[in-house]
RNA sequence: GGCUCCAUGGUCAAGCGGUUAAGACACCGCCCUUUCACGGCGGUAACCCGGGUUCGAUUCCCGGUGGAGUCACCA
């Protein structure tokens, strides 16, 4: 007895971008392959030429690349050549295979030519809808004789699969056995009149020929699976194992619409989330490990632990709050250098002159924000004051720290502290502030928060001593003086 | 509408005939603290309904309800 090698695949149609749901399917396949020493294949389902575009192909692969999902076999992408022995990996390049297999089915009487026109069919469907009957193919061309076909001459025809009598069993790893009466299926078209294969034929031929052992995909394909099972049997291919996982729902509980922000996985990159967060979070949307209570997973852990047995049957809503939390966890796992590298482009983008700062300084800056920010993008409001002199002060902060009885005293005390320092360090600042607070009978908070407002214009941010240290002595003192002047003058006006 | 799938707190979820029904996020307190955040401690909050089966059902079966998916010469 030999254990068959695991071969699984993700087969997106490149019609836009990498959808979060496609990413989930890809991730599960990939993790499954990795945890079983199997092969993960990327196949592009671009049979419908009208709906594909090279830009879309690129955008989609970009999504995979960002997530770090790498395929063992797949089409050419960017500077990567096509990989694998079972190519080509684009359906548009496999037309001959489909025609050949379709012809075989026709020859064996398992499929037949249908001369009905699209218009005819549409009319029938409309009529059915009007009469509230389920829309079904009439079966008009099912039993055409040789003579009748001969009469048609070279009229265009589609090819329909002759659905057998009975019932089809989909023995699904996740859903369990699912039985569907064959009556529910029309004699569906497998080749269009223009000669192109329809999705159902293409997937089955590809899965068969590529020796796919496990078909893991969203359960929006569950009913399609019945058609596929029939096709596998008709073509004489061994049946793969099916695993239909639930879809990702939006926060309202619906299938995550393409139009929603976040449907594109790259939206999350845009919003400051780490790819490792997305991998972790998406994996959790329908899977749990044996180890109870653990939610934080690295990719390596997932590759080890992932099993189809632990997949959930019910759909999961996408929860932004939890994603934020998880992203914070992953940000904290980064090395400070790593965080710095990831954050630099964002700051540059915001127009800050980061390249004028020494690397060590930038790393320190990243370090004092690491525990604060839930998303990478938050680095901007947390550090903007380093690069831009604050214009004005937070309104609430002003009332709390500039307009109280002791405010001016606190600011002046803080300035004295700064002036009195022989060295400009976190420790010296801290010591000096603490001592002054005691001597002047000021709350340390008043001292610190007033200073924060003066230096940053805000009430929230990194630790004050750390931030002041990085801002530098001269700049800090300058900003204190400006603030003191501001409090004095505007205070006079208002009273 | 037909068919199919699903159903434990607001959300994600353990559970697999007998449990005080885990845990995480969110929320609310408290602690820590220079703010925010992190961290720590504690709290509110759930088995959709009705029938069976059983000594006993969140758990098994049936029905209902609710939600979702799918019904193309799209994939």
């Amino acid at each position: 007895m030999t254990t068959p090698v695991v071969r699984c695949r993700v087969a997106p149609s490149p019609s836009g971008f990498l959808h979060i749901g496609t990413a989930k399917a890809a991730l599960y396949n990939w993790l499954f392959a990795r945890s079983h020493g199997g092969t993960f294949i990327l196949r592009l389902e671009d049979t419908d030429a009208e709906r594909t575009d090279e830009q879309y192909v690129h955008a989609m692969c970009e999504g995979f690349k960002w997530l770090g999902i790498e395929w063992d076999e797949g089409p050419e992408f960017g500077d990567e050549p096509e990989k694998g022995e079972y190519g080509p990996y684009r359906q548009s390049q496999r037309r001959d295979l489909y025609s050949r297999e379709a012809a075989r089915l026709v020859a064996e009487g398992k499929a037949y030519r249908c001369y009905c026109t699209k218009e005819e069919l549409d009319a029938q469907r409309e009529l059915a809808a009007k009469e509230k009957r389920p829309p079904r193919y009439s079966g008009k061309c099912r039993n055409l004789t040789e003579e009748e076909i001969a009469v048609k001459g070279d009229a265009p025809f589609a090819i329909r699969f002759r659905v057998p009598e009975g019932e089809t069993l989909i023995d699904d790893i996740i859903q369990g056995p699912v039985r569907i009466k064959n009556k529910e299926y029309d004699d569906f078209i497998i080749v269009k009149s223009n000669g192109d294969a329809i999705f159902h034929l293409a997937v089955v031929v590809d899965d068969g020929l590529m020796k796919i052992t496990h078909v893991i995909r969203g359960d929006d394909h569950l009913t399609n699976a019945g058609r596929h099972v029939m096709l596998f049997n008709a073509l004489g291919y061994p049946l793969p194992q099916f695993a239909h996982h639930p879809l990702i729902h939006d926060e309202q509980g619906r299938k995550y619409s393409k139009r929603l922000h976040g449907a594109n996985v790259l939206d999350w990159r845009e919003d400051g989330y780490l790819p490792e967060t997305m991998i972790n979070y998406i994996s959790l949307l329908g899977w749990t490990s044996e180890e109870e209570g653990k939610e934080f997973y690295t990719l390596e852990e997932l590759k080890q632990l992932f099993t189809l047995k632990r997949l959930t049957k019910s759909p999961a809503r996408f929860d932004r709050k939890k994603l934020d939390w998880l992203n914070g966890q992953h940000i904290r796992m980064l090395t400070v250098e790593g965080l710095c590298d990831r954050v630099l482009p964002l700051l540059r983008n915001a127009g800050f002159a980061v390249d004028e700062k020494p690397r060590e300084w930038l790393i320190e800056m990243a370090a004092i924000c690491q525990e604060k920010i839930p998303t990478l993008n938050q680095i901007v409001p947390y550090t903007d004051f380093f690069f831009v002199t604050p214009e004005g002060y937070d309104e609430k902060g002003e009332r709390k720290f500039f307009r109280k009885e002791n405010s001016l005293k606190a600011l002046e005390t803080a300035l004295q502290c700064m002036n009195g320092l022989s060295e400009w360090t976190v420790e010296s600042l801290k010591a000096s502030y603490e001592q002054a607070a005691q001597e002047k009978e000021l709350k340390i908070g008043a001292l610190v928060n007033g200073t924060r407002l003066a230096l940053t214009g805000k009430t929230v941010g990194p630790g004050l001593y750390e931030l002041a240290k990085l801002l530098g002595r001269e700049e800090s003192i300058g900003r204190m003086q400006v603030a003191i002047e501001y409090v004095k003058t505007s205070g006079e006006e208002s009273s």
Side-chain angles (χ1 to χ4, degrees), chain A residues 122-188:
Chain A
D122 286 346
Q124 284 173 19
R125 214 186 336 274
E126 260 176 61
L127 186 68
K130 216 168 164 185
E131 295 173 2
K132 298 200 168 169
R133 287 182 289 115
R136 290 261 166 75
Y137 173 59
S138 64
K140 186 180 171 194
C141 301
R142 195 170 215 246
N143 298 306
L144 292 182
T145 61
E146 298 275 335
E147 291 74 34
E148 283 169 315
I149 291 173
V151 168
K152 298 283 182 186
D154 54 2
F157 59 87
I159 297 178
R160 285 185 186 271
F161 180 68
R162 193 187 301 276
V163 172
E165 302 268 293
E167 189 182 70
T168 298
L169 168 71
I170 303 150
D171 197 6
D172 196 275
I173 296 175
I174 299 168
Q175 308 290 347
V178 176
R179 281 167 227 281
I180 298 177
K181 304 231 185 329
N182 288 178
K183 272 190 291 197
E184 298 302 328
Y185 297 111
D186 281 17
D187 280 357
F188 53 94

Side-chain angles (χ1 to χ4, degrees), chain A residues 86-261:
Chain A
Y86 295 82
Y89 292 90
R90 284 239 213 167
Q91 290 189 333
S92 56
Q93 295 164 4
R94 299 171 64 82
R95 291 205 167 89
D96 295 348
L97 262 16
Y98 309 138
S99 321
R100 192 188 75 197
E101 293 299 76
R104 219 179 93 212
L105 290 176
V106 173
E108 292 172 9
K110 292 170 179 167
Y112 58 90
R113 292 180 174 193
C114 173
Y115 291 92
C116 299
T117 62
K118 181 111 166 54
E119 293 67 34
E120 235 175 294
L121 263 16
D122 286 346
Q124 284 173 19
R125 214 186 336 274
E126 260 176 61
L127 186 68
K130 216 168 164 185
E131 295 173 2
K132 298 200 168 169
R133 287 182 289 115
R136 290 261 166 75
Y137 173 59
S138 64
K140 186 180 171 194
C141 301
R142 195 170 215 246
N143 298 306
L144 292 182
T145 61
E146 298 275 335
E147 291 74 34
E148 283 169 315
I149 291 173
V151 168
K152 298 283 182 186
D154 54 2
F157 59 87
I159 297 178
R160 285 185 186 271
F161 180 68
R162 193 187 301 276
V163 172
E165 302 268 293
E167 189 182 70
T168 298
L169 168 71
I170 303 150
D171 197 6
D172 196 275
I173 296 175
I174 299 168
Q175 308 290 347
V178 176
R179 281 167 227 281
I180 298 177
K181 304 231 185 329
N182 288 178
K183 272 190 291 197
E184 298 302 328
Y185 297 111
D186 281 17
D187 280 357
F188 53 94
I189 289 176
I190 54 177
V191 178
K192 302 183 207 177
S193 50
N194 70 2
D196 283 351
I198 279 287
F199 160 75
H200 300 299
L201 208 223
V203 233
V204 172
V205 169
D206 289 343
D207 286 341
L209 264 31
M210 291 181 179
K211 303 255 183 342
I212 299 300
T213 58
H214 299 259
V215 173
I216 305 166
R217 50 158 50 154
D219 68 10
D220 50 341
H221 282 299
L222 188 53
T223 45
N224 284 335
R227 293 190 179 88
H228 300 169
V229 169
M230 292 188 281
L231 240 18
F232 270 102
N233 292 151
L235 287 163
Y237 301 149
L239 218 50
Q241 292 233 258
F242 289 99
H244 288 94
H245 64 249
L247 303 177
I248 296 178
H249 283 179
D250 62 23
E251 313 225 18
Q252 275 68 43
R254 310 234 158 186
K255 184 176 174 179
Y256 210 119
S257 160
K258 272 186 194 170
R259 291 184 299 277
L260 236 48
H261 180 77

Side-chain angles (χ1 to χ4, degrees), chain A residues 7 12 35 59 70 120 123 125 212 227 250 259 289 307 349 370 447:
Chain A
R7 289 177 60 79
S35 62
E70 77 264 344
E120 235 175 294
R125 214 186 336 274
I212 299 300
R227 293 190 179 88
D250 62 23
R259 291 184 299 277
S289 79
T307 50
N349 228 311
Q370 189 161 27
L447 221 44

Side-chain angles (χ1 to χ4, degrees), chain A residues 183-478:
Chain A
K183 272 190 291 197
E184 298 302 328
Y185 297 111
D186 281 17
D187 280 357
F188 53 94
I189 289 176
I190 54 177
V191 178
K192 302 183 207 177
S193 50
N194 70 2
D196 283 351
I198 279 287
F199 160 75
H200 300 299
L201 208 223
V203 233
V204 172
V205 169
D206 289 343
D207 286 341
L209 264 31
M210 291 181 179
K211 303 255 183 342
I212 299 300
T213 58
H214 299 259
V215 173
I216 305 166
R217 50 158 50 154
D219 68 10
D220 50 341
H221 282 299
L222 188 53
T223 45
N224 284 335
R227 293 190 179 88
H228 300 169
V229 169
M230 292 188 281
L231 240 18
F232 270 102
N233 292 151
L235 287 163
Y237 301 149
L239 218 50
Q241 292 233 258
F242 289 99
H244 288 94
H245 64 249
L247 303 177
I248 296 178
H249 283 179
D250 62 23
E251 313 225 18
Q252 275 68 43
R254 310 234 158 186
K255 184 176 174 179
Y256 210 119
S257 160
K258 272 186 194 170
R259 291 184 299 277
L260 236 48
H261 180 77
N264 182 348
V265 296
L266 291 179
D267 287 345
W268 300 102
R269 175 173 71 180
E270 204 67 26
D271 289 352
Y273 294 85
L274 302 174
E276 39 274 67
T277 303
M278 298 314 292
I279 295 278
N280 190 167
Y281 185 67
I282 293 171
S283 76
L284 253 29
L285 248 30
W287 174 85
T288 47
S289 79
E290 307 273 353
E291 190 176 345
E292 287 186 9
K294 188 170 154 75
E295 309 261 5
F296 180 94
Y297 290 99
T298 64
L299 183 54
E300 287 312 310
E301 288 174 312
L302 289 172
K303 283 181 184 174
Q304 284 296 319
L305 298 170
F306 186 82
T307 50
L308 294 176
K309 287 185 197 78
R310 301 287 301 179
L311 287 178
T312 320
K313 298 177 87 171
S314 54
R317 295 187 190 203
F318 199 95
D319 183 0
R320 179 66 175 268
K321 292 265 183 63
K322 185 150 184 174
L323 181 69
D324 282 347
W325 168 77
L326 199 56
N327 200 48
Q329 300 292 309
H330 281 277
I331 285 177
R332 268 157 239 134
M333 286 302 290
L334 260 25
T335 62
V336 282
E337 291 83 1
L339 178 60
C340 183
D341 291 338
R342 303 218 201 188
V343 121
L344 240 35
L346 299 171
L347 295 171
R348 219 171 267 135
N349 228 311
F352 301 156
V354 283
D355 299 302
E356 291 172 10
K357 303 281 188 186
R359 170 103 180 136
E360 299 71 44
W361 187 93
L362 290 167
I363 290 175
E364 262 187 81
M365 186 196 72
I368 65 175
C369 295
Q370 189 161 27
E371 291 213 330
K372 312 267 177 186
I373 53 174
T375 64
L376 258 22
N377 293 4
Q378 283 296 309
I379 194 74
V380 174
Y382 264 84
T383 59
D384 53 1
F385 60 86
F386 283 124
F387 306 98
V388 180
T389 312
E391 293 177 34
Y393 302 99
D394 176 86
E395 215 177 294
K396 263 193 194 162
E398 229 186 284
R399 259 179 278 137
K400 271 178 98 173
F401 307 117
F402 281 1
R403 301 289 167 222
K404 291 278 168 66
E405 221 172 294
N406 279 337
S407 294
L408 196 57
K409 180 182 170 191
L411 288 172
E412 283 171 336
T413 305
L415 180 57
Q416 281 166 24
C417 286
M418 290 181 178
N419 278 322
L421 289 179
S422 53
E423 51 165 14
W424 190 255
T425 64
V426 171
E427 293 71 28
S428 63
L429 277 161
K430 184 170 194 286
S432 166
Y433 266 56
E434 281 169 355
Q435 192 188 346
Q438 206 166 22
E439 283 172 5
K440 306 270 174 138
E441 293 186 331
L442 284 164
K443 278 192 185 158
I444 189 81
L447 221 44
V448 166
N449 289 320
T451 307
R452 174 189 304 285
L453 192 61
L455 298 190
T456 71
K458 302 178 194 206
T459 57
V460 302
L464 177 76
Y465 308 127
E466 288 79 4
L467 131 208
K469 166 76 273 261
L470 279 177
L471 231 205
R473 176 182 209 139
E474 242 176 88
E475 184 63 27
S476 299
I477 289 175

